[in-house]
């Protein structure tokens, strides 16, 4: 069987999920509700065709006037006027107004055909957009003639050897209000714009693609200052390359808990703990360690602003500012409620692709739950981790555990290679932090609980004191250690936990 | 009377000599002779010959009759078989 020819759209991600683009020399239907991005997708198809693939295109608009279109897409950096001057693109605005038109007797739409043919001939067009031809249904009374003529039009388009996009407004019953899907059956793309928890998410789905493989899922897409981008994110295979290189955590006593070597490069690390246990500090130390190796680190902050983080980290003897200045460290802070999960995912991925960091930090992922359902957050994180690890990027996430629910970190932990838990321990009228490694795949690691001390000098994991009195931490440990120092004899009864070296695989 | 002193400039868009176009032109001539004798011009534009003219008058359907003058512009599409509709569409007061 001969594979069908395809025309690359040049739209980020769309060519991947269609395995090469839209069916060449055939019409494709793009449908969706108002404001879902149909016109933009169509326009980008034409512009990219003209700029990247040297395929001139005709954009026939039944909705927006030529100047409106030019203005609307100028914000995306598309210079339509220049393309028109160089005969790479032709805009044709078709005005249909029922109030101006009387109908009497038989007619056909030959005038439209002639216009289209004339436009195609004038620039040697290979691509055509009809946006949205359904407006004809509003302008013309005789639906019988209109339907027959549309059928003829789509047949005619195929004969003209042009790749076409026909847009259609989503209908109540069918894909489009007037059943355009009846006529265009080679490829149908559905765009969707829905609001979940007051946050909008855009999605794209290929409903059908005759004669070709295609991704069948709903893919999130993004419209930003660079136009349209679709994120092909469900190709979740487990065949990514792995590295056995180890990288420092940025805290030497924490490295010690991982065979003195630290994490695997390209692994996923989760730090979970209750409020105020120093999760962000650990993450910042790791960021600093990355930058110290002259590698790039991208820090996504969902809670604090970059300035806040930098200021706060100075108090523990960690100055991140030089790294930011050297462009080794890039902060991106946004409130989770700013956009939907998919938008977060897409925009984070775009930022990562641009900056090319070796380490990405998300602090904290728990805040994302406010945007979506837990299962959605998990699936989004899964895809993000997958994407990043596919590029060999080390991911560190922090998660806030509330006393009652631990579901977030538990669900996500299965995706992570290393899981550190930070706990609050209240004892003897003081609050101390304890840290232990819940798991760390593929390496030996300490199984002990360490006291996690944050001082103005930095972070340190201190061995807890084990003795006949039980486990001592905080000031009780310090007192005991002083006592031991003063009176070495008492060592018989108690010994620092350091000596017990339990290492397991 | 104001109406009688007005001049009608009519334009009929066709695409080749199709039966519909021929019917439309014949009908139009008949109505004009009856109701607008001496006050009208009919210009027939064949889009197969001059395709670039389709854009200017926003022509989609063939045949399309456009009343250029008097303003505002009016359009009637079809073979003009219904005299009453055509007269209403062009805003012509029937003489009889």
């Amino acid at each position: 069987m001969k594979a069908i020819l395809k025309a690359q759209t040049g739209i980020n991600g769309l060519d991947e999920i269609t395995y090469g683009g839209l069916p060449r020399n055939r019409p494709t239907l793009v449908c969706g509700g108002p404001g879902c991005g149909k016109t933009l997708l169509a326009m980008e198809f034409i512009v990219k065709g003209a700029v990247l693939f040297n395929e001139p295109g005709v954009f026939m608009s039944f909705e927006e006037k030529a100047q409106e279109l030019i203005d609307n897409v100028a914000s995306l950096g598309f210079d339509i006027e220049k393309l028109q001057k160089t005969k790479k693109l032709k805009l044709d605005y078709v005005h249909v107004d029922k109030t101006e038109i009387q109908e009497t007797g038989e007619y056909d739409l030959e005038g439209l055909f002639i216009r289209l043919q004339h436009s195609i001939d004038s620039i040697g067009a290979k691509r055509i957009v009809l946006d949205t031809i359904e407006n004809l249904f509003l302008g013309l009374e005789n639906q019988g003639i209109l339907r027959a003529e549309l059928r003829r039009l789509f047949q005619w388009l195929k004969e003209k050897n042009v790749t076409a996009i026909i847009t259609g407004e989503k209908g109540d019953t069918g894909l489009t209000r007037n059943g355009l899907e009846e006529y265009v059956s080679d490829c149908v793309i559905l765009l969707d714009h829905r609001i979940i928890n007051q946050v909008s998410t855009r999605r794209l789905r290929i409903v059908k693609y005759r004669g070709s493989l295609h991704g069948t899922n709903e893919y999130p897409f993004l419209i930003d200052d660079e136009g349209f981008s679709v994120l092909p994110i469900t190709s979740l295979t487990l065949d990514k390359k792995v590295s056995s290189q180890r990288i420092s955590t940025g805290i030497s006593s924490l490295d010690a808990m991982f065979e003195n070597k630290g994490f695997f490069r390209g692994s996923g690390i989760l730090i979970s703990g209750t409020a105020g246990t120093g999760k962000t500090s650990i993450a910042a130390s790791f960021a600093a360690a990355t930058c110290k190796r002259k590698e790039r680190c991208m820090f996504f902050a969902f809670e604090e602003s970059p300035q806040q983080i930098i200021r706060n980290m100075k108090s523990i003897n960690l100055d991140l500012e030089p790294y930011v200045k050297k462009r080794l460290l890039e902060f991106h802070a946004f409130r989770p409620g700013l956009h939907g999960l998919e938008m977060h995912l897409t925009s984070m991925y775009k930022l990562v692709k641009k900056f090319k960091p070796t380490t990405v930090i998300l602090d904290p992922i728990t805040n994302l739950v406010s945007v979506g359902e837990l299962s959605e957050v998990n699936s989004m994180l899964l895809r993000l981790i997958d994407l990043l690890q596919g590029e060999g990027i080390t991911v560190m996430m922090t998660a806030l555990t509330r006393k009652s629910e631990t579901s977030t970190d538990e669900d996500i932990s299965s995706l992570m290679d290393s899981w550190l838990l930070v706990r609050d321990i209240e004892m003897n009228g003081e609050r101390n932090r304890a840290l232990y490694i819940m798991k760390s795949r593929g390496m030996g690691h300490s199984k002990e609980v360490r006291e996690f001390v944050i001082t103005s000098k930095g972070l340190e994991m201190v061995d807890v004191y084990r003795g006949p009195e039980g486990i001592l931490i905080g000031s009780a440990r310090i007192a005991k250690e002083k006592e031991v120092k003063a009176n070495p004899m008492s060592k018989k009864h108690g010994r620092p936990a350091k000596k017990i070296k339990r290492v397991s695989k | 009377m104001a109406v009688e002193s007005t001049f009608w400039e009519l334009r009929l868009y066709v695409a080749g000599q199709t039966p519909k176009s021929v019917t439309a032109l014949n009908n139009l001539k008949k109505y004009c002779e009856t109701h607008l004798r001496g006050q009208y011009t009919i210009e027939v534009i064949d889009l197969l010959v001059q395709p670039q003219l389709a854009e200017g008058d926003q022509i989609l359907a063939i045949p399309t009759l456009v009343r250029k003058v008097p303003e505002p512009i009016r359009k009637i599409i079809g073979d003009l078989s219904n005299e009453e509709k055509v007269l209403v569409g062009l805003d012509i007061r029937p003489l009889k």
Side-chain angles (χ1 to χ4, degrees):
Chain A
M1 199 187 94
K2 213 177 101 194
I4 68 162
L5 291 171
K6 296 191 181 182
Q8 275 181 283
T9 58
I11 295 170
N12 286 331
L14 188 58
D15 291 336
E16 277 88 343
I17 58 173
T18 52
Y19 295 94
L22 302 179
R24 182 171 284 281
N25 301 341
R26 294 186 195 192
T28 293
L29 177 65
V30 174
C31 47
C36 70
K38 300 183 292 284
T39 303
L40 193 67
L41 182 134
M43 183 54 96
E44 195 166 340
F45 169 71
I46 292 286
V47 172
K48 290 272 166 80
V51 175
L52 299 179
F53 308 111
N54 198 25
E55 291 188 4
V58 173
F59 193 104
M60 193 176 245
S61 169
F62 295 81
E63 212 164 55
E64 289 172 273
K65 292 195 169 117
Q67 195 55 46
E68 287 171 357
L69 268 174
I70 291 172
D71 294 345
N72 292 351
V73 299
S75 59
L76 306 171
F78 298 158
D79 191 350
I80 305 289
E81 272 159 342
K82 191 179 150 209
L83 288 170
Q84 275 189 306
K85 265 179 214 145
T86 51
K87 294 211 161 211
K88 292 274 189 179
L89 191 152
K90 186 172 161 62
L91 283 182
D92 190 0
Y93 167 62
V94 178
H95 174 79
V96 202
D97 187 350
K98 202 165 199 165
T99 58
E100 283 181 8
I101 300 175
Q102 274 276 342
E103 291 180 35
T104 158
E106 290 285 306
Y107 61 90
D108 56 42
L109 294 184
E110 194 59 33
L112 182 67
F113 285 73
I114 290 170
R115 268 174 85 164
L116 209 44
Q117 180 69 62
H118 179 64
S119 295
I120 293 172
D121 292 344
S122 67
I123 58 168
K126 294 273 174 229
R127 299 181 176 208
I128 280 193
V129 165
L130 302 173
D131 177 59
T132 156
I133 201 155
E134 279 191 305
N135 276 9
L136 288 181
F137 285 91
L138 301 175
L140 300 173
E141 265 165 36
N142 195 328
Q143 308 274 302
I145 290 178
L146 187 48
R147 287 189 183 277
E149 287 295 284
L150 283 184
R151 195 176 292 276
R152 185 161 74 96
L153 177 67
F154 296 136
Q155 204 55 47
W156 180 84
L157 282 176
K158 282 188 189 179
E159 289 161 15
K160 290 291 156 196
N161 284 336
V162 288
T163 311
I165 286 186
I166 306 354
T167 63
E169 198 82 14
K170 195 178 177 334
D172 295 332
T173 47
L175 284 173
T176 57
R177 198 176 284 163
N178 297 294
L180 287 181
E181 63 271 24
E182 274 175 57
Y183 313 112
V184 189
S185 47
D186 291 296
C187 181
V188 178
I189 295 174
L190 182 66
L191 302 181
D192 182 33
H193 186 198
R194 66 184 87 149
I195 311 286
I196 305 163
N197 291 344
Q198 301 162 25
V199 174
S200 79
T201 312
R202 296 172 188 276
R203 287 168 215 255
L204 176 149
R205 181 164 70 96
I206 299 169
V207 180
K208 74 172 172 186
Y209 196 149
R210 200 172 271 177
S212 166
L213 284 175
H214 62 85
T216 50
N217 294 323
E218 280 196 316
Y219 299 91
F221 71 91
L222 195 73
I223 297 173
D224 61 11
D225 52 352
E226 288 160 29
F228 214 90
S229 46
V230 187
L231 196 54
I233 33 155
T234 19
S235 58
L236 294 182
T237 47
L238 287 170
D239 55 0
K240 53 195 175 229
K241 280 183 280 176
V242 291
S243 165
S244 50
Q245 196 193 338
R246 304 284 284 265
I247 47 175
S248 166
T249 62
I251 306 162
S252 58
S253 46
L254 183 58
D255 283 344
M257 295 175 78
F258 291 98
E259 303 174 321
N260 268 322
K261 289 176 190 160
F263 305 122
F264 277 127
R265 180 181 289 280
S267 64
I269 303 136
L270 176 68
I271 300 166
S272 63
T274 43
T277 45
K279 298 181 296 292
T280 304
S281 306
I282 297 177
S285 302
F286 186 52
T290 306
C291 298
K292 221 175 264 171
R293 288 193 303 270
K294 301 255 180 313
E295 293 173 17
R296 289 179 178 180
C297 175
M298 186 164 262
F299 200 118
F300 292 106
F302 299 116
E303 217 169 45
E304 295 172 280
S305 74
Q307 290 77 21
Q308 263 176 310
I309 295 175
I310 291 171
R311 181 199 66 196
N312 297 349
M313 289 310 130
K314 274 185 182 154
S315 72
I316 57 161
N317 195 25
L318 193 61
D319 193 2
L320 296 172
E321 223 163 359
Y323 302 128
V324 175
K325 279 194 185 127
K326 271 190 242 158
R327 292 176 183 278
L328 286 169
L329 178 61
E330 203 170 281
F331 277 101
H332 288 280
F334 30 79
R335 293 277 172 210
L338 189 62
H339 6 257
L341 284 174
E342 305 297 3
M343 179 93 166
H344 273 301
L345 179 59
T346 320
S347 57
M348 283 197 274
Y349 188 55
K350 277 187 83 169
L351 288 168
V352 165
K353 271 208 142 172
K354 214 179 253 173
F355 187 61
K356 295 190 177 35
T358 61
T359 302
V360 168
I361 293 168
L362 292 110
D363 178 49
I365 51 169
T366 3
N367 275 22
L368 292 170
V369 181
S370 63
V371 190
E373 297 295 316
L374 193 59
S375 64
E376 286 175 27
V377 176
N378 284 345
S379 92
M380 173 229 167
L381 288 172
L382 170 71
R383 292 189 308 227
L384 181 67
I385 295 168
D386 217 73
L387 278 171
L388 296 177
Q389 296 194 336
E391 318 233 328
I393 297 169
T394 318
V395 196
M396 180 180 271
M397 300 183 177
T398 68
L400 177 69
T401 24
R402 288 174 191 90
K403 288 262 154 46
S404 53
E405 32 151 340
T406 48
S407 42
T408 333
D409 36 329
E410 268 170 19
D411 284 346
I412 293 157
S413 67
S414 68
L415 314 169
M416 310 304 281
D417 301 293
S418 304
W419 184 9
L420 274 64
L421 224 81
V422 199
R423 279 275 154 85
D424 256 342
I425 297 179
E426 249 178 79
M427 226 162 60
N428 304 333
E430 62 179 23
R431 195 171 69 95
N432 289 298
R433 300 180 181 89
L435 177 145
Y436 59 98
I437 301 168
M438 199 79 149
K439 71 164 184 189
S440 195
R441 289 177 183 149
M443 61 175 86
H445 61 86
S446 161
K447 294 283 190 294
E448 288 157 12
V449 177
R450 296 285 157 103
E451 188 179 341
F452 173 33
V453 191
I454 303 180
T455 66
S456 58
K457 287 194 186 111
L459 306 179
E460 205 186 344
M461 309 300 146
V462 184
D463 294 338
V464 295
Y465 188 87
R466 289 157 198 270
E469 304 94 329
I471 287 171
L472 298 180
I473 60 171
S475 47
R477 170 185 53 81
I478 295 168
K480 191 70 194 171
E481 276 170 1
K482 277 187 183 151
E483 190 191 313
V484 172
K485 222 177 187 177
N487 183 8
M489 282 307 284
S490 66
K491 254 186 183 167
K492 279 175 195 164
H493 308 292
R495 52 183 184 168
K498 207 185 214 162
K499 301 264 166 67
I500 320 165
K501 202 148 195 189
R502 286 202 300 155
V503 166
S504 78
K505 294 259 169 192
Chain B
M1 279 207 286
V3 176
E4 274 169 22
S5 60
T6 319
F7 197 79
W8 265 262
E9 243 181 82
L10 305 173
R11 212 178 258 184
L12 184 67
Y13 285 89
V14 296
Q17 294 289 315
T18 61
K20 269 175 279 194
S21 304
V22 174
T23 314
L25 185 59
N26 289 340
N27 282 335
L28 180 63
K29 278 182 180 159
K30 194 172 74 197
Y31 306 146
C32 288
E33 275 308 299
T34 318
H35 305 286
L36 298 173
R37 186 185 291 245
Q39 299 175 34
Y40 71 94
T41 53
I42 299 174
E43 185 186 4
V44 178
I45 294 175
D46 188 346
L47 290 180
L48 291 183
V49 184
Q50 294 170 292
Q52 70 280 7
L53 294 181
E55 211 175 315
D57 270 330
Q58 290 289 355
I59 303 305
L60 294 175
I62 294 292
T64 296
L65 171 64
V66 179
R67 183 185 80 174
K68 299 290 279 184
V69 176
E71 300 225 326
I73 288 178
R74 297 248 179 149
K75 282 180 199 165
I76 302 174
I77 58 178
D79 59 16
L80 311 179
S81 50
N82 185 326
E83 179 172 356
E84 205 183 317
K85 272 197 171 174
V86 177
L87 295 185
V88 171
L90 292 180
D91 202 10
I92 297 171
R93 201 168 297 171
L95 285 180
K96 287 168 203 166

